[in-house]
Amino acid sequence: MEGKEEDVRLGANKFPERQPIGTAAQIQDDGKDYKEPPPAPLFEPSELTSWSFYRAGIAEFVATFLFLYITVLTVMGVVQSKTKCTTVGIQGIAWAFGGMIFALVYCTAGISGGHINPAVTFGLFLARKLSLTRALFYIVMQCLGAICGAGVVKGFEKTTYMSNNGGANFVQPGYTKGDGLGAEIVGTFVLVYTVFSATDAKRSARDSHVPILAPLPIGFAVFLVHLATIPITGTGINPARSLGAAIIFNRDRGWDDHWIFWVGPFIGAALAALYHQVVIRAIPFKSK
């Protein structure tokens, strides 16, 4: 029984679960105010026998399900209205996406890290914040949750869902595929860079309130990126969100540009991880 309690108390890669997004900051005995969490191993077979591993995956599934449910319903309410004045408009859509990320990261950070986005998971994996085993499991659960969330919306909006593109992402008229790819790269960079900065181990150690406030800048980053890029791509920056909507909509328009919403976010996440680790933290160049 004691072993099970210890397993629940320790989260991904034996980092304390109360630390958001897989980071852990601790006070050292040598007088320094923090130490870097140890890099996660590439493979962690023991995770597969840990309840916390599966609990984290379930949390990612449920969070992504709720994310798609609320956000795609909001999109449907805006696009099916004859005039935007009678709806929340583009600003409301942006607030729905950013607000849900804020709420869901707050709720799940202590269980799974609150990724809710394969691009975030990928960036943190590149920075060695979680193992490949956990990263792949998270991405699968996020995609399944997104598909289910979009499916429930379609069940509610039977008469208008298909005619209103089902909340699927595609490059809007007047923009090229290059424009869409660039928007997704930069937008995801902003999001993942914010995730790294908001959950930085050094900052968490020096400012005890940071782990509590971390979901706020992350949600706000999502809100701002949506304001900027909804007119270009409808804003993906989350491959699970784009995949779930595309599968349930299942029309050529939803699949024609779909590659952009995987390639762009993954490139943006990789660049953000590289920038944070090499430039901001200069970790590869620190003396041992």
Side-chain angles (χ1 to χ4, degrees), residues 26-250:
Q26 302 171 359
I27 305 301
Q28 294 198 101
D29 296 331
D30 58 6
K32 294 182 180 179
D33 61 351
Y34 82 103
K35 67 178 180 180
E36 296 289 346
L42 184 60
F43 296 103
E44 185 70 28
S46 63
E47 287 186 318
L48 299 177
T49 61
S50 168
W51 165 238
S52 67
F53 176 79
Y54 295 101
R55 183 177 67 162
I58 294 170
E60 287 293 306
F61 172 88
V62 172
T64 316
F65 169 85
L66 295 174
F67 179 61
L68 266 288
Y69 171 73
I70 294 296
T71 55
V72 176
L73 264 182
T74 303
V75 171
M76 290 295 99
V78 172
V79 298
Q80 72 185 15
S81 178
K82 293 181 179 179
T83 64
K84 296 296 183 289
C85 295
T86 60
T87 69
V88 295
I90 290 179
Q91 293 87 348
I93 293 175
W95 274 121
F97 278 89
M100 281 303 291
I101 288 297
F102 167 65
L104 293 170
V105 170
Y106 178 82
C107 292
T108 60
I111 301 172
S112 66
H115 298 190
I116 322 171
N117 185 336
V120 171
T121 300
F122 180 66
L124 292 168
F125 164 71
L126 293 181
R128 300 191 66 185
K129 301 294 185 182
L130 71 165
S131 68
L132 178 62
T133 310
R134 186 173 290 262
L136 292 176
F137 184 48
Y138 278 14
I139 291 173
V140 170
M141 296 300 282
Q142 290 158 358
C143 290
L144 291 176
I147 293 167
C148 293
V152 171
V153 174
K154 183 178 180 180
F156 285 169
E157 302 281 347
K158 293 182 177 68
T159 58
T160 59
Y161 183 87
M162 300 306 293
S163 61
N164 291 318
N165 300 317
N169 290 118
F170 50 86
V171 178
Q172 301 295 320
Y175 294 94
T176 67
K177 294 184 186 298
D179 296 333
L181 181 62
E184 289 296 305
I185 290 173
V186 176
T188 310
F189 179 92
V190 172
L191 169 59
V192 179
Y193 176 42
T194 304
V195 168
F196 275 108
S197 297
T199 61
D200 187 278
K202 184 175 182 179
R203 179 178 296 179
S204 298
R206 293 179 175 176
D207 302 308
S208 60
H209 62 280
V210 167
I212 300 175
L213 294 181
L216 182 59
I218 296 170
F220 201 63
V222 172
F223 164 70
L224 293 174
V225 171
H226 275 75
L227 281 183
T229 60
I230 283 177
I232 303 174
T233 61
T235 308
I237 68 171
N238 185 333
R241 172 261 187 273
S242 300
L243 179 66
I247 287 178
I248 300 302
F249 180 51
N250 198 27

